């Protein structure tokens, strides 16, 4: 699988947590695949890049699955530190010009750029994950009910806390991350109104570095732990590594996000303290879009993934979690009530 561009290297203090995000060499994307006639697909990573053990890696897993099962040629492209929309426009343009179809932007930050590029390549399908604001005949909006999975995390957190204090850490205060906060807080309060939720954001737009700095996540989690939180739920991309490290080191419970972080090799040292994770089936969303294009029936418009389609959920990989039968029962009941429409989960705090 080819990779293009390069992401800024995270500090040495976090090297043990993250996989290398440095891109390999190879031809420039404008030269790739010319005249090959080979089915090709590409993803362009969000902040944090490949190796975040979370959101971006889930997208990569979908591309890798498509390479293996659909026999397509995959390309993945990294972001650059502090890049502008013009950089994203160029990246998506290069990927489309190289004959990739579909081209998928991983994250809402690609929305303005993707809208521009999609108009220039009307025969190419463009997918964007976590955004429905930009639409077009060849744009697929792959969106998730993050608030529903986060509600289940709130139920679990309220059931296991001993201090009656839990924490939420958002990478950047955006409408998307507020969905995670809203669902989590609602789930906590619905389960035990006496439990306090500490909520904190690492950065404010237009500063999106809160998704890429583990040291910020670690400091935020430590601050919440110092204020008696014994369950911490970070929705913060690569910064969530630091939050999980601090929480696990303190012997408290962390809740992962996007991928099943109990299973992530980069977090193996801390896995026993990852109670569960709020999962988003980004992998299948990427695979399904690539398959639809290869089959000649490309998806279009909004494609939504919620609890009813197992597009979001709560992981049960940690044996310690599955042994908590009262917690599992409460989560299962909440899930059923959400699917049945008995519970409507808020999307804003």
């Amino acid at each position: 699988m080819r990779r293009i561009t390069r992401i800024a290297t995270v500090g040495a203090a976090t090297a043990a947590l993250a996989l290398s995000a440095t891109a390999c060499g190879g031809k420039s994307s404008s030269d790739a695949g010319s005249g090959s006639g080979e089915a090709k697909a590409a993803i362009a990573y969000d902040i944090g890049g490949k190796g975040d053990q979370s959101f971006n890696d889930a997208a990569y897993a979908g591309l890798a699955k498509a390479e293996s099962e659909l026999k397509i040629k995959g390309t993945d492209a990294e972001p650059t530190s502090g890049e502008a929309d013009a950089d994203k426009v160029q990246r998506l343009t290069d990927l489309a010009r190289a004959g990739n179809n579909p081209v998928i932007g991983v994250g809402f930050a690609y929305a303005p750029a993707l809208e521009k590029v999609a108009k220039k390549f009307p025969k190419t399908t463009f997918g964007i994950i976590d955004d429905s604001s930009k639409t077009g005949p060849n744009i697929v909006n792959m969106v998730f009910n993050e608030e529903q999975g986060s509600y289940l995390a709130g139920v679990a957190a309220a059931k296991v806390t001993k201090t009656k204090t839990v924490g939420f850490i958002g990478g950047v205060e955006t409408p998307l991350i507020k969905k995670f906060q809203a669902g989590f807080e609602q789930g906590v309060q619905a389960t035990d109104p006496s439990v306090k939720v500490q909520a904190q954001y690492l950065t404010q737009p237009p500063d999106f570095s809160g998704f890429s700095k583990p040291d910020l996540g670690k400091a935020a989690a430590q601050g919440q732990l110092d204020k008696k939180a014994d369950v911490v739920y970070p929705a913060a991309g690569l910064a969530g590594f630091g939050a999980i490290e601090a929480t696990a080191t303190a012997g408290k419970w962390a809740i992962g996000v996007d991928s099943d972080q109990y299973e992530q090799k980069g977090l193996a040292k801390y896995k026993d303290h990852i109670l569960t994770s709020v999962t988003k089936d980004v992998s299948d969303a990427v695979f399904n879009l690539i398959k639809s294009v290869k089959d000649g029936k490309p998806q279009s418009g909004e494609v939504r993934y919620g609890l009813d389609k197992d597009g979001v959920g709560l992981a049960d990989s940690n044996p310690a979690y599955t042994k908590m039968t009262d917690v599992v029962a409460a989560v299962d009941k909440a899930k059923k009530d959400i699917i049945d429409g008995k519970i409507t989960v808020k999307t804003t705090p």
Side-chain angles (χ1 to χ4, degrees):
M1 184 180 294
R2 285 185 63 259
R3 304 184 68 199
I4 60 174
T5 322
R6 185 178 297 268
I7 185 170
T9 307
V10 288
T14 65
L17 291 176
L19 298 175
S20 171
T22 305
C24 304
K27 296 185 298 182
S28 69
S29 61
S30 60
D31 296 329
S34 58
S36 67
E38 184 179 25
K40 299 187 290 185
I43 59 175
Y45 292 120
D46 199 1
I47 298 166
K50 186 180 177 183
D52 67 352
Q53 305 285 316
S54 185
F55 184 56
N56 289 295
D57 279 3
Y60 170 77
L63 181 63
K65 180 182 178 183
E67 277 201 305
S68 174
E69 297 186 14
L70 305 178
K71 308 305 178 187
I72 61 100
K73 175 68 176 179
T75 297
D76 54 339
E78 295 280 6
T80 56
S81 180
E83 68 181 19
D85 277 345
D87 298 303
K88 293 182 174 66
V89 168
Q90 187 61 55
R91 181 176 306 118
L92 296 176
T93 299
D94 288 344
L95 293 172
R97 188 173 288 147
N100 293 290
N101 188 18
V103 174
I104 302 171
V106 184
F108 62 85
Y110 276 97
L114 188 137
E115 182 184 38
K116 293 178 182 178
V117 179
K119 292 177 181 177
K120 298 177 182 178
F121 296 88
K123 294 183 180 180
T124 299
T125 296
F126 290 84
I128 183 164
I129 300 171
D130 286 347
D131 182 85
S132 58
S133 67
K134 308 300 183 183
T135 60
N138 60 331
I139 294 177
V140 182
N141 307 97
M142 305 146 75
V143 291
F144 299 80
N145 292 118
E146 295 91 353
E147 71 282 0
Q148 295 179 349
S150 295
Y151 183 101
L152 302 185
V155 173
K159 295 288 287 184
V160 303
T161 180
K162 295 179 179 178
T163 62
K164 299 291 186 177
T165 304
V166 301
F168 171 82
I169 298 171
V172 183
E173 191 168 1
T174 64
L176 172 67
I177 304 303
K178 284 186 174 182
K179 290 172 67 181
F180 288 88
Q181 177 190 354
F184 183 67
E185 290 180 341
Q186 186 180 346
V188 169
Q189 294 301 305
T191 305
D192 186 345
S194 69
V195 176
K196 177 183 177 182
V197 180
Q198 302 177 38
Q200 179 179 350
Y201 286 89
L202 302 180
T203 60
Q204 298 288 325
D207 179 3
F208 288 90
S209 64
F211 288 130
S212 61
K213 294 186 176 180
D215 58 327
L216 293 182
K218 184 176 182 179
Q222 190 59 58
Q224 293 183 343
L225 293 164
D226 290 344
K227 295 178 181 178
K228 306 304 180 183
D230 60 354
V231 184
V232 177
Y233 172 38
L238 191 60
F241 275 38
I244 290 173
E245 178 189 6
T247 305
T249 301
K252 307 303 181 183
W253 287 119
I255 295 176
V257 73
D258 290 338
S259 298
D260 183 356
Q261 296 195 298
Y262 178 86
E263 298 286 4
Q264 296 294 336
K265 293 180 180 178
L267 290 166
K269 182 178 179 180
Y270 310 108
K271 64 187 297 183
D272 289 344
H273 291 280
I274 301 176
L275 178 67
T276 181
S277 296
V278 175
T279 57
K280 291 169 58 173
D281 203 352
V282 173
S283 174
D284 267 8
V286 169
F287 177 84
N288 291 342
L289 177 54
I290 295 172
K291 186 176 187 301
S292 75
V293 173
K294 190 171 189 295
D295 290 346
K297 299 178 181 179
Q299 293 176 338
S300 62
E302 181 178 290
V303 180
R304 180 167 292 277
Y305 295 87
L307 279 178
D308 58 337
K309 297 179 181 178
D310 291 324
V312 297
L314 205 64
D316 59 1
S317 299
N318 191 337
Y321 171 78
T322 57
K323 290 178 182 177
M324 301 175 184
T325 54
D326 59 328
V327 178
V328 174
V331 167
D332 287 346
K333 183 180 185 303
K335 178 179 178 178
K336 185 177 186 302
D337 287 346
I338 292 171
I339 292 173
D340 291 346
K342 294 180 181 179
I343 295 175
T344 300
V345 186
K346 300 175 182 178
T347 56
T348 56

